[in-house]
Amino acid sequence: MADAKKPWAGRFQEATAPSVERFTSSLHVDRRLYRHDIEGSIAHATMLADSGIISRADAKAIIRGLKSIRADMEKGRFVFDPADEDIHMAIEKELIRRAGDAGAKLHTARSRNDQIALDVRLYLRDEADGLIRLLNALQKQLVGMAKKEIATIMPGYTHLQKAQPVLLSHYLLAFAEMFARDGERLEDCRKRLNVLPLGAAALAGTGLPIDRTRTARLLRFPEVSRNSMDTVADRDYIAEFIFAASLAMAHLSRFCEDLVLWSSEEFGFAEISDAYTTGSSIMPQKKNPDVAELIRGKTARVYGDLTAILTLVKGLPMTYNRDLQEDKEPLFDAVDTLHDCLAVFLEMLAHTRFNAARMHLAARGGFSTATDVAEYLVEKGVPFRSAHEIAGGIVAYCIKTKRTMEDLTLGEYQSFYGGFEASILSRIRLENAVNARRHFGGTAQKAVRERIREFEKILDKK
Ligand code: ARG
């Protein structure tokens, strides 16, 4: 309902048009910030009293009022008035109703421009912590699985063509590395958002004797923002966060893509348990990896959120513009999507079994140890390019005669190069090919075990 008594109505002659009220309101979106808005306001009121800007009694009345509003909101008892523009207005209006004149002093030395920056930073700090915990849990899960699958050999692919045999545990740890970097990116982003914006007020700061360090301490911010104009214009922390979320989604999506492929009859490498798959309404035999597909699909949403925030800020004149109100929907969507995807992926992964026999069989095909033949020759002093050619000739011979490299006799090997010895036949066994790659970062059991131990050490502390 149009209401001439808006907190900013002093210079207005006419009431706001109802259509404008509806159009400008963000209450339906930003009401989820209520806890952080109230936490920020309690700290602000405390600082105002500590600095002698308002009386202790007023601060007490404000804090009592805010706590009672929070309790009502928590219990779902609070009746939101759609005519309130945003969560700040809704809370302040109710505070004034409950605490009278004292309530009307809360907004001293503050603007909604620094207030919203504060709310979002507090909110995102909490959410980042939750997401980092989920990423750590996912890494732990992967490390546990890698330990179990330490002897499982699978074909490694490039171009989705069989390339070289690798350990399944090496594959699983590859994703653990990605999720570790995602966690680091969130930690890094958290550092930059963990800065107190309050005190910037509308854009220029305030003439009142505020103590920003005091507010920062109350809200556990290790730093205070350094420029009031930057503070109300800045949305870097949102863009950074959504970028970090986008990459984490990309990693989940690639993992899901493999699980979708591996669940097919053609691959048969993995089976996701019934509880994490769905059926078809027409084809009775179907068991579909829909969860994995949906995670892949939801990645697109988060990329959309990233595009939205980057586009939102690109043409804005300094400093705050109402456009910035549009930052919250992409942010909340990115937070929720990443959170839900990580949580369900973690469960699904814990309910996925790998078919070691199928993987082993697949690794045997496709001449996946041809590179080992070449490396064997290098060890015998053959230049790599010539070794590559000799090994290529052996592959062509196998294709022509419908043989595998394991089937060939030593005599056949020697017909390609006289220096082959009986050891070539053991050199190209899958286990030996894998375990030959024992340098740091390689797929040999020894190297993988080392990395598992390192991961365990790091993750134990988290
Ligand atoms: N709802 C606004 C937002 O999310 C709060 C800041 C409004 N400031 C203003 N001057 N209208 O950005």
Side-chain angles (χ1 to χ4, degrees):
M1 217 199 38
D3 177 0
K5 287 216 209 77
K6 297 221 179 282
W8 38 257
R11 57 102 69 220
F12 287 80
Q13 311 295 319
E14 287 176 50
T16 316
S19 57
V20 171
E21 265 183 355
R22 272 195 305 277
F23 185 69
T24 56
S25 173
S26 58
L27 191 55
H28 61 292
V29 175
D30 58 28
R31 50 189 277 183
R32 79 188 266 178
L33 295 173
Y34 78 87
R35 256 190 229 111
H36 299 103
D37 194 76
I38 290 174
E39 187 191 352
S41 288
I42 290 175
H44 182 63
T46 307
M47 180 279 289
L48 288 177
D50 291 351
S51 312
I53 299 170
I54 64 172
S55 70
R56 288 257 165 243
D58 283 344
K60 259 196 175 152
I62 289 171
I63 293 167
R64 199 180 320 115
L66 287 170
K67 285 186 175 167
S68 73
I69 292 170
R70 181 167 62 194
D72 287 349
M73 289 184 169
E74 225 107 74
K75 296 200 176 79
R77 278 200 309 243
F78 190 89
V79 187
F80 283 97
D81 178 357
D84 290 329
E85 271 181 51
D86 50 34
I87 187 65
H88 324 302
M89 296 290 216
I91 292 172
E92 193 187 343
K93 192 176 82 181
E94 182 60 18
L95 178 68
I96 293 170
R97 207 185 62 75
R98 293 188 191 190
D101 270 357
K105 292 181 184 175
L106 170 63
H107 210 54
T108 309
R110 187 175 76 171
S111 154
R112 279 182 296 156
N113 297 352
D114 58 345
Q115 188 178 355
I116 187 62
L118 173 66
D119 292 7
V120 173
R121 283 173 186 265
L122 287 171
Y123 159 82
L124 202 47
R125 189 170 70 176
D126 283 351
E127 294 293 343
D129 288 343
L131 290 166
I132 290 167
R133 275 195 296 276
L134 272 172
L135 283 164
N136 289 338
L138 183 49
Q139 289 165 62
K140 282 183 191 163
Q141 172 72 27
L142 286 166
V143 171
M145 293 172 99
K147 268 173 106 166
K148 234 181 90 204
E149 304 292 350
I150 192 67
T152 308
I153 293 177
M154 61 171 272
Y157 296 85
T158 62
H159 314 270
L160 201 56
Q161 308 289 317
K162 264 171 219 170
Q164 289 172 340
V166 292
L167 291 181
L168 172 57
S169 47
H170 197 49
Y171 171 95
L172 294 167
L173 289 188
F175 278 102
E177 301 288 351
M178 295 180 227
F179 295 126
R181 289 197 296 274
D182 292 331
E184 284 169 24
R185 258 184 291 275
L186 286 180
E187 307 246 13
D188 193 49
C189 165
R190 189 190 188 284
K191 268 183 229 148
R192 270 181 298 278
L193 69 82
N194 201 15
V195 173
L196 176 85
L198 219 56
L203 78 161
T206 171
L208 296 165
I210 55 170
D211 179 355
R212 301 186 68 204
T213 318
R214 173 88 183 110
T215 319
R217 217 170 305 123
L218 289 167
L219 293 169
R220 300 176 318 281
F221 283 113
E223 276 180 71
V224 171
S225 69
R226 298 183 183 91
N227 180 302
S228 63
M229 295 180 78
D230 173 42
T231 302
V232 293
D234 175 27
R235 293 295 182 271
D236 291 7
Y237 49 100
I238 298 183
E240 272 189 48
F241 171 83
I242 305 181
F243 172 71
S246 294
L247 259 190
M249 287 299 300
H251 297 147
L252 282 177
S253 186
R254 292 184 76 168
F255 207 155
C256 285
E257 168 66 11
D258 275 347
L259 288 179
V260 169
L261 286 172
W262 291 8
S263 305
S264 67
E265 199 187 318
E266 286 74 4
F267 271 86
F269 286 3
E271 180 163 9
I272 304 170
S273 79
D274 285 4
Y276 294 88
T277 54
T278 54
S280 157
S281 55
I282 176 167
M283 297 168 283
Q285 85 284 11
K286 295 272 277 172
K287 173 170 159 177
N288 295 328
D290 288 34
V291 173
E293 291 169 79
L294 261 176
I295 293 173
R296 208 173 53 188
K298 282 177 188 290
T299 303
R301 296 173 66 106
V302 180
Y303 292 5
D305 297 329
L306 180 61
T307 307
I309 186 72
L310 290 173
T311 314
L312 184 68
V313 294
K314 77 173 264 296
L316 295 184
M318 285 287 271
T319 52
Y320 178 86
N321 300 269
R322 191 64 177 266
D323 315 44
L324 290 175
Q325 179 167 292
E326 288 291 313
D327 62 357
K328 279 169 262 342
E329 277 173 278
L331 173 63
F332 294 166
D333 185 66
V335 167
D336 293 344
T337 306
L338 179 58
H339 187 279
D340 293 354
C341 288
L342 280 171
V344 75
F345 184 83
L346 193 50
E347 275 184 47
M348 179 176 69
L349 193 63
H351 291 84
T352 298
R353 298 281 157 265
F354 299 102
N355 187 334
R358 274 296 286 252
M359 287 183 160
H360 199 271
L361 199 66
R364 288 174 61 92
F367 308 103
S368 69
T369 51
T371 314
D372 296 83
V373 173
E375 288 186 354
Y376 176 92
L377 293 173
V378 166
E379 284 160 17
K380 298 255 174 267
V382 181
F384 181 73
R385 276 298 155 223
S386 319
H388 186 286
E389 206 181 323
I390 295 168
I394 294 173
V395 169
Y397 173 77
C398 286
I399 293 171
K400 208 170 92 198
T401 57
K402 297 199 168 50
R403 313 274 295 282
T404 68
M405 292 195 311
E406 290 82 1
D407 296 342
L408 300 188
T409 62
L410 179 56
E412 283 173 303
Y413 274 104
Q414 284 169 341
S415 70
F416 288 91
Y417 175 74
F420 274 115
E421 293 174 54
S423 54
I424 183 59
L425 293 166
S426 82
R427 180 73 172 81
I428 60 165
R429 289 192 33 187
L430 292 181
E431 290 73 17
N432 295 338
V434 164
N435 286 323
R437 293 161 168 82
R438 59 182 167 271
H439 54 79
F440 184 78
T443 190
Q445 274 200 28
K446 174 183 167 289
V448 174
R449 277 188 210 282
E450 239 165 68
R451 190 62 189 135
I452 288 175
R453 270 194 297 278
E454 280 172 8
F455 258 119
E456 283 179 331
K457 234 192 277 158
I458 297 164
L459 289 169
D460 267 356
K461 284 189 224 122
K462 293 191 169 172

